[in-house]
């Protein structure tokens, strides 16, 4: 697993959205209508600036989403699709309305489906139909949840209906006029295994309030109580965090991961960004 540490939220977003990662992965993949790039996406405040940077790149003509197919991680149950706080609204307002993605390429769970279990099965089947997810982007909750896989969720879970943890409900009151009663208590969410099946997983973790979760994820074992820790078992997992999120890490852990990135840049070159196992070309002096 790689841990990329940047100064602050803006630099994290630049790493993920602008200076390269998502854009480069799409460009390298060279998607076509028959072979689309399949991207898993989160909501929340963590990816907002990343989305803004991707929109800017699209406007500059540096990336196209024409042959990109997306799957969102989760959606509230029972909230009208057009409610301003539905994840459907969030995604269209923050990303999809501003890029050239085809509406039929967008997949968001329907939290108002008549049969929610069927809806979850349909979603998993659709992911399989397009050949699986190439890159899953994610954020985490302060309790280490990934998507809505709250503490105690099975690490082999698939898309399903979940009851939200009280801590998550409280955290989400900020979007519902501070009123707990207005926050949906159920959600549809991809499972931990659905995310870990993606060929690459990239998690954005910023802010001191997520420092304990990052510490659990990086320095302790895989645990269903910190579901993001499942990333330790992924062959191509990457966490991009800011300095604030590293507050609970040992100094030597931070230095270790920074030195790995330094060596990577010095020896192999930042142009080889798919460095999690794939080296495209070596620098001339290395050949
Ligand atoms: C919700 C979402 C998660 C997201 C989390 C963190 O719980 N279901 O997918 O990672 O919020 O949100 P934020 O990025 O706003 O901290």
């Amino acid at each position: 697993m790689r841990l990329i540490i940047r100064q602050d939220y803006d630099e994290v977003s630049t790493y993920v959205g602008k200076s390269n990662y998502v854009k480069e992965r799409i460009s390298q993949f060279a998607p076509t209508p028959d072979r689309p790039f399949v991207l898993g996406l989160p909501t929340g405040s963590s990816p907002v600036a990343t989305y803004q940077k991707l929109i800017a790149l699209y406007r500059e003509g540096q990336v196209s989403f024409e042959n990109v197919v997306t799957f969102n991680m989760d959606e509230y149950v029972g909230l009208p699709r057009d409610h301003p706080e539905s994840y459907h609204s969030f995604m269209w307002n923050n990303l999809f309305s501003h890029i050239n993605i085809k509406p039929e390429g967008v997949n968001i769970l329907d939290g108002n489906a008549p049969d929610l279990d069927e809806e979850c099965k349909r979603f998993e089947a659709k992911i399989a139909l397009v050949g699986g997810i190439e890159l899953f982007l994610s954020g985490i909750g302060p309790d280490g949840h990934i998507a809505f896989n709250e503490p105690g969720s099975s690490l082999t879970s698939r898309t399903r209906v979940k009851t939200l943890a009280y801590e998550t409900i409280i955290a989400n009151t900020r979007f519902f006029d501070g009123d707990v009663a207005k926050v949906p208590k159920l959600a549809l969410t991809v499972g931990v295994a659905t995310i870990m099946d993606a060929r690459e997983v990239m998690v954005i973790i910023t802010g001191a309030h997520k420092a304990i979760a990052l510490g659990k994820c990086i320095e302790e074992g895989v645990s269903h109580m910190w579901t993001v820790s499942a990333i330790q078992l992924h062959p191509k997992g990457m966490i991009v965090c800011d300095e604030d999120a590293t507050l609970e890490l040992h100094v030597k852990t931070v230095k270790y991961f920074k030195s790995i990135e330094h060596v990577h840049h010095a020896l192999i070159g930042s142009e080889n960004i798919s460095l999690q196992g794939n080296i495209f070309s070596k620098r001339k002096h290395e050949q």
Side-chain angles (χ1 to χ4, degrees), residues 60-112:
E60 290 164 16
Q62 294 196 46
V63 65
S64 170
F65 294 86
E66 195 183 358
N67 296 315
V68 173
V69 168
T70 62
F71 286 87
N72 261 84
M73 306 191 105
D74 42 22
E75 177 60 285
Y76 291 118
V77 168
L79 201 62
R81 190 175 126 127
D82 296 328
H83 187 286
E85 295 304 335
S86 76
Y87 288 172
H88 182 277
S89 298
F90 176 97
M91 288 309 300
W92 282 95
N93 293 339
N94 286 285
L95 183 64
F96 299 145
S97 298
H98 311 285
I99 58 175
N100 64 337
I101 195 158
K102 295 177 184 144
E104 60 272 25
V106 170
N107 295 279
I108 302 178
L109 284 153
D110 178 1
N112 294 294

Side-chain angles (χ1 to χ4, degrees), residues 20-68:
N20 284 318
Y21 210 85
V22 176
K23 173 198 149 234
E24 287 302 327
R25 293 292 291 109
I26 295 172
S27 303
Q28 284 164 7
F29 192 89
T32 63
D34 295 336
R35 187 175 163 274
F37 186 87
V38 185
L39 183 60
L41 292 174
T43 55
S45 48
S46 304
V48 168
T50 294
Y51 292 161
Q52 286 166 357
K53 289 174 195 291
L54 285 172
I55 292 165
L57 282 176
Y58 162 69
R59 288 184 177 149
E60 290 164 16
Q62 294 196 46
V63 65
S64 170
F65 294 86
E66 195 183 358
N67 296 315
V68 173

Side-chain angles (χ1 to χ4, degrees), residues 178-195:
D179 184 352
V180 178
K182 290 186 186 166
V183 185
K185 312 293 185 295
L186 288 178
L188 301 185
T189 179
V190 293
V192 180
T194 317
I195 301 166

